[in-house]
């Protein structure tokens, strides 16, 4: 279903990123490669290899725990038992008033955004504990982890829960030298926001592009849409030595959109 990106580093460490084929995940994967980690994803593989890092691509649907487990096993088998960074980035959203949300859609969103993240974190932590090396575990939160929005109800529910799970995992895994945090972007220029824009245009009776432009203008204090690389900068910091005293946090990176 989607691509995960294990990256091995000159640091002799591997990073594993779910949903790395596009958008924020792709920017995180390439940024971590530049930081020295080797990885795993087709087109992104070529980009990462051009940076002089090793990369492979694994297909895994994060709704299926066994596929996540197999992807991590394949990663350490091919790149070595040095998993140090895991990023549960894969996510989806529907854009609908709650009264129009079907049980099937809600379940799909919870399975990907929340259960997929929990299982990715747990399988990654098991590998890190086995290695005895410690590690950095990150997940996709959002400004919606703090403030939900109309027409994005189930999405906001999953992102609030990501914040709670991040705290719980940080408490349990500190003893293994594992930090657990989440990044909380605002309005990032990715295919996900193109989808949100199209759906809001339909709901609000405005033209495609307007919903995004209006929100960027009104909500983002720094005056420009967020690029995926802006999120990757925070991830890069959190997995670096500079981030070693930070755990259990869902950190907003949103140009002031949450203010
Ligand atoms: N774009 C934003 O403004 C924004 C803001 C806050 C948080 N986020 C979060 O950041 C993460 C990435 O968002 P994005 O904007 O890059 O989205 P995107 O739609 O561009 O990319 C999402 C990625 O997740 C993958 N994915 C979807 N379902 C999957 C599944 N079942 N198994 C494995 N992979 C799956 C897709 O293949 C894709 O590569 C998401 O968790 C999203 O909720 C995005």
């Amino acid at each position: 279903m989607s691509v995960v990106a294990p990256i091995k580093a000159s640091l002799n460490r591997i990073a594993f990123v779910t949903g790395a084929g596009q958008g924020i995940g792709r920017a995180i994967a390439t940024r971590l490669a530049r930081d020295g980690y080797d990885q795993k994803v087709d087109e992104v593989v070529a980009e990462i290899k051009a940076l002089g890092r090793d990369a492979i691509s694994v297909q895994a649907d994060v709704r299926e725990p066994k596929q996540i487990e197999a992807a991590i096993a394949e990663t350490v088998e091919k790149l070595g038992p040095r998993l140090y960074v895991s990023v549960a980035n894969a996510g989806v959203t529907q854009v609908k008033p709650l009264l129009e949300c079907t049980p099937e859609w809600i379940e799909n969103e919870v399975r990907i955004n929340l259960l997929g993240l929990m299982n990715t974190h747990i399988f990654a932590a098991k590998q890190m504990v086995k290695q005895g090396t410690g590690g950095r575990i990150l997940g996709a939160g959002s400004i919606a982890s703090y403030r939900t929005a109309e027409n994005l109800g189930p999405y906001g529910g999953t992102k609030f829960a990501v914040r709670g799970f991040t705290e719980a995992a940080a408490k349990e895994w500190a003893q293994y030298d594992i930090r657990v945090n989440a990044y909380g972007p605002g309005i990032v220029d990715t295919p996900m926001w193109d989808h949100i824009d199209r759906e809001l245009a339909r709901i609000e009776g405005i033209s495609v592009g307007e919903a995004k432009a209006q929100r960027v203008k009104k909500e983002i204090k720094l005056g420009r849409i967020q690029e995926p690389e802006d999120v990757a900068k925070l991830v890069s910091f959190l997995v670096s030595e500079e981030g070693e005293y930070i755990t259990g946090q869902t950190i907003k990176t949103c140009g002031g959109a949450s203010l």
Side-chain angles (χ1 to χ4, degrees):
M1 168 85 190
S2 140
V3 156
V4 294
I7 320 164
K8 192 174 83 191
S10 54
L11 312 163
N12 212 17
R13 286 170 172 170
I14 296 167
F16 176 86
V17 184
T18 67
Q22 65 179 42
I24 293 170
R26 182 180 182 135
I28 291 172
T30 50
R31 172 65 200 241
L32 292 178
R34 275 200 280 130
D35 288 352
Y37 290 81
D38 293 339
Q39 300 221 8
K40 188 159 184 166
V41 219
D42 299 327
E43 286 167 47
V44 188
V45 162
E47 205 178 322
I48 289 165
K49 287 197 166 174
L51 293 166
R53 299 262 62 83
D54 199 2
I56 52 172
S57 158
V58 194
Q59 299 295 320
D61 184 337
V62 300
R63 290 172 295 193
E64 303 297 335
K66 283 195 181 341
Q67 292 188 25
I68 305 172
E69 188 177 22
I72 291 180
E74 188 182 334
T75 300
V76 293
E77 187 190 314
K78 290 192 173 152
L79 296 177
R82 293 181 295 273
L83 183 69
Y84 188 71
V85 174
S86 174
V87 186
N89 168 75
V92 292
T93 189
Q94 61 183 332
V95 186
K96 279 191 178 24
L98 284 171
L99 296 180
E100 291 176 22
C101 289
T102 64
E104 292 76 19
W105 247 109
I106 293 171
E107 184 177 331
N108 188 59
E109 213 158 304
V110 171
R111 285 181 71 193
I112 296 172
N113 295 4
L114 181 57
L115 305 186
L117 177 141
M118 288 181 176
N119 287 318
T120 304
H121 281 14
I122 290 168
F123 286 125
K126 281 186 174 168
Q127 176 62 31
M128 290 169 185
V129 170
K130 192 158 89 182
Q131 293 167 186
T133 51
R136 305 286 168 90
I137 292 183
L138 289 167
S142 168
I143 53 173
S145 299
Y146 292 88
R147 187 191 65 185
T148 59
E150 296 90 340
N151 303 311
L152 291 155
Y155 180 80
T158 64
K159 295 299 180 183
F160 257 68
V162 163
R163 195 174 129 209
F165 186 72
T166 300
E167 286 189 16
K171 284 181 183 170
E172 287 201 23
W173 298 338
Q175 62 183 311
Y176 304 113
D177 203 19
I178 298 171
R179 278 62 163 164
V180 189
N181 292 292
Y183 46 91
I187 301 174
V188 191
D189 205 5
T190 67
M192 176 180 275
W193 242 101
D194 291 339
H195 163 68
I196 295 172
D197 175 71
R198 279 192 302 274
E199 294 299 308
L200 286 177
R202 192 180 48 76
I203 293 168
E204 295 173 6
I206 54 180
S207 40
V208 171
E210 258 186 82
K212 182 156 73 176
Q214 281 173 6
R215 283 163 179 81
V216 168
K217 190 165 175 225
K218 186 167 160 241
E219 293 177 22
I220 302 188
K221 304 299 173 283
L222 294 183
R224 66 164 173 87
I225 195 160
Q226 186 167 15
E227 297 299 335
E229 291 72 23
D230 294 315
V231 184
K233 285 179 196 167
L234 172 62
V235 170
S236 173
F237 171 75
L238 288 171
V239 306
S240 75
E241 286 313 306
E242 301 298 310
E244 65 102 17
Y245 203 61
I246 302 170
T247 198
Q249 308 302 314
T250 296
I251 300 176
K252 288 177 266 188
T253 164
C254 61
S258 64
L259 300 176

